[in-house]
Amino acid sequence: KNQVEQSPQSLIILEGKNCTLQCNYTVSPFSNLRWYKQDTGRGPVSLTIMTFSENTKSNGRYTATLDADTKQSSLHITASQLSDSASYICVVSARGYSTLTFGKGTMLLVSP
Amino acid sequence: EADIYQTPRYLVIGTGKKITLECSQTMGHDKMYWYQQDPGMELHLIHYSYGVNSTEKGDLSSESTVSRIRTEHFPLTLESARPSHTSQYLCASSDHRLKEKLFFGSGTQLSVL
């Protein structure tokens, strides 16, 4: 069964600090991996999409990494801001399938 | 910002009522989706469409129905709402030129009393 596991479930950090969120998946055959940011009460917004051949992709202060051999991805947030407080969702697409497998997300709270 | 709109944002209704959740996008995307999300849980696909007159059921069993008469419009209908339908409903569309990157609406929070 295709699964996406994210850790930690929740995280509190001080404003200005860095943090790293983890995503492990068992989706096969792998097509691409996405990270989304979801503010409370809003729809998710895409941060990055990585295919098998890409192992790093950045979007401003967000940097995602992918290790397709170990089926792990991480999202690193640099110099966190209060507006980074949100749920971060890892989503994996399987090649040849129309649906995506979503993780439950990591809830990040950036404290002043 | 994505050009995909959902109405209403919030809806509180009684059991047995028929409701339609509206979703429209102005990006010309062929593929559209409806997801259901409960607090702290992952998104579950309930319906999707590859284009006009195309609709498919998703992974999560749902008592709702959808239609796709126009490219830009993908409404979801519940014929008889029940308290178990209380959830957040998210509409999305995707762009094949961007590896099917999903663009989400702001969601409809439905409460059935």
Side-chain angles (χ1 to χ4, degrees):
Chain A
K1 180 186 175 186
N2 290 336
Q3 284 188 311
V4 174
E5 300 287 342
Q6 292 188 243
S7 62
Q9 187 175 10
S10 62
L11 181 64
I12 302 175
I13 63 172
L14 290 175
E15 186 179 11
K17 297 296 186 182
N18 303 335
C19 68
T20 300
L21 314 180
Q22 301 291 342
C23 172
N24 296 336
Y25 63 92
T26 58
V27 176
S28 182
F30 176 84
S31 177
N32 60 68
L33 183 145
R34 309 125 183 256
W35 283 95
Y36 285 84
K37 177 187 178 188
Q38 185 177 22
D39 292 319
T40 301
R42 313 293 293 187
V45 174
S46 177
L47 294 175
T48 64
I49 298 178
M50 287 185 294
T51 59
F52 185 88
S53 59
E54 298 171 301
N55 52 27
T56 302
K57 186 164 276 192
S58 292
N59 179 356
R61 294 180 296 102
Y62 301 101
T63 299
T65 65
L66 173 65
D67 186 334
D69 291 332
T70 61
K71 299 186 178 180
Q72 295 179 325
S73 176
S74 65
L75 181 69
H76 186 75
I77 304 175
T78 304
S80 61
Q81 299 175 357
L82 297 179
S83 59
D84 292 331
S85 294
S87 178
Y88 291 85
I89 303 171
C90 178
V91 186
V92 183
S93 171
R95 192 161 17 94
Y97 292 87
S98 57
T99 59
L100 305 171
T101 304
F102 286 78
K104 292 183 179 181
T106 291
M107 180 62 70
L108 173 67
L109 176 63
V110 180
S111 175
Chain B
E1 284 295 318
D3 295 320
I4 180 164
Y5 308 99
Q6 289 186 244
T7 57
R9 283 281 281 125
Y10 303 94
L11 182 60
V12 181
I13 60 169
T15 297
K17 298 292 184 184
K18 177 180 178 178
I19 61 166
T20 296
L21 308 185
E22 299 288 348
C23 177
S24 294
Q25 51 99 3
T26 59
M27 296 172 283
H29 293 166
D30 287 328
K31 295 182 181 177
M32 295 189 73
Y33 314 80
W34 276 102
Y35 289 92
Q36 187 173 340
Q37 184 183 31
D38 293 317
M41 300 299 290
E42 63 267 49
L43 278 72
H44 289 286
L45 181 68
I46 48 176
H47 294 284
Y48 61 100
S49 167
Y50 284 152
V52 172
N53 294 325
S54 151
T55 61
E56 302 285 345
K57 287 188 180 292
D59 304 321
L60 183 67
S61 174
S62 173
E63 293 158 348
S64 58
T65 59
V66 292
S67 63
R68 190 88 183 277
I69 298 173
R70 290 181 286 137
T71 298
E72 61 270 23
H73 195 212
F74 192 40
L76 180 144
T77 298
L78 273 170
E79 290 293 332
S80 179
R82 294 206 302 267
S84 60
H85 294 138
T86 295
S87 188
Q88 183 179 43
Y89 292 83
L90 289 162
C91 180
S93 67
S94 67
D95 190 339
H96 67 275
R97 297 163 296 181
L98 298 174
K99 301 186 184 79
E100 300 299 348
K101 174 180 174 180
L102 287 171
F103 294 85
F104 285 89
S106 293
T108 293
Q109 180 61 52
L110 174 64
S111 296
V112 183
L113 307 178

